[in-house]
Amino acid sequence: MAHYDLKTDELKEMAPKLRAGDTVSLTGIVYTARDAAHKRLCTQLEAGQPLPFDIRGAVIYFVGPTPAKPGQAIGSAGPTTSYRMDAYSPALLRQGLTGMIGKGKRSEAVIEAIRACGAVYFGATGGCGALLSRCIKKAEIIAYPDLGPEAIRRLYVEDFPVTVIIDSEGNNLYEIGRQNYLNSVQQREVCGSGV
């Protein structure tokens, strides 16, 4: 496992080099979108309408931030559960989406689309929204303001900490971690059986 300091506009080029378990500090533009915004994005695609931002090479963070306090760019901004976006993610990946940030498992259809499109799924640490918000230096609503916290925002982040959960080859850290754990338990049982 390795660590990378990456600009978000380098992600498309770097995605094939990243592996499940690698840690990344992201700097650059990240867009926010949760399930309501994802549904609207896909409705626009189906209608042949342009999206409100250039999705090619983009990173979407699955977050609905709290309101900013005075002097802050954004309020608490922790990841939401990613499976809520599973019905929509493959269509956006096919349009060129390169990175997704959230928490939790993804469906087989999403994993296949990640593999087919050379994308990456990152995990951000749940429960750390106040700390993660310190890495967000600018935030502006660019689409669907009626959705409130679920409006699409353009963020500028600096050294935003994420872990590669599913890499562009479909390797899945959740499965790797589980298998490593089971192997270690089995090894302890084998070693302990002779005592």
Side-chain angles (χ1 to χ4, degrees):
M1 294 182 201
H3 177 79
Y4 295 89
D5 294 312
L6 285 184
K7 302 273 194 275
T8 53
D9 60 7
E10 300 172 328
L11 185 57
K12 187 69 176 172
E13 176 187 342
M14 287 296 298
K17 299 175 185 173
L18 299 175
R19 290 292 167 262
D22 288 348
T23 56
V24 177
S25 294
L26 283 176
T27 296
I29 301 299
V30 171
Y31 297 93
T32 70
R34 285 184 44 158
D35 34 330
H38 273 71
K39 183 175 182 179
R40 286 199 190 173
L41 290 170
C42 288
T43 298
Q44 284 187 241
L45 281 176
E46 290 166 7
Q49 300 171 345
L51 298 181
F53 63 94
D54 187 356
I55 201 162
R56 295 168 300 175
V59 178
I60 291 180
Y61 183 23
F62 306 149
V63 61
T66 63
K69 293 180 181 175
Q72 294 180 329
I74 200 165
S76 182
T80 195
T81 305
S82 301
Y83 74 78
R84 294 176 182 151
M85 275 51 73
D86 281 3
Y88 312 110
S89 291
L92 297 178
L93 288 163
R94 287 190 295 270
Q95 294 297 313
L97 178 65
T98 300
M100 298 170 287
I101 304 170
K103 67 178 181 181
K105 292 182 172 183
R106 306 307 303 271
S107 70
E108 283 304 315
V110 172
I111 294 170
E112 180 52 40
I114 288 170
R115 187 184 301 114
C117 300
V120 181
Y121 170 53
F122 297 107
T125 304
C128 295
L131 289 173
L132 290 171
S133 69
R134 294 180 187 176
C135 300
I136 300 170
K137 305 305 181 184
K138 294 179 188 173
E140 71 172 308
I141 294 174
I142 63 163
Y144 317 142
D146 59 301
L147 294 180
E150 293 200 39
I152 294 180
R153 290 168 171 77
R154 180 188 294 115
L155 308 180
Y156 179 76
V157 303
E158 289 181 357
D159 298 321
F160 192 90
V162 292
T163 301
V164 178
I165 303 298
I166 301 170
D167 64 31
S168 63
E169 295 182 354
N171 300 306
N172 188 332
L173 183 61
Y174 294 140
E175 293 175 2
I176 294 167
R178 182 175 189 276
Q179 192 56 54
N180 288 346
Y181 170 76
L182 292 174
N183 290 344
S184 70
V185 168
Q186 184 179 28
Q187 184 65 29
R188 284 196 305 269
E189 289 172 353
V190 168
C191 292
S193 64
V195 176

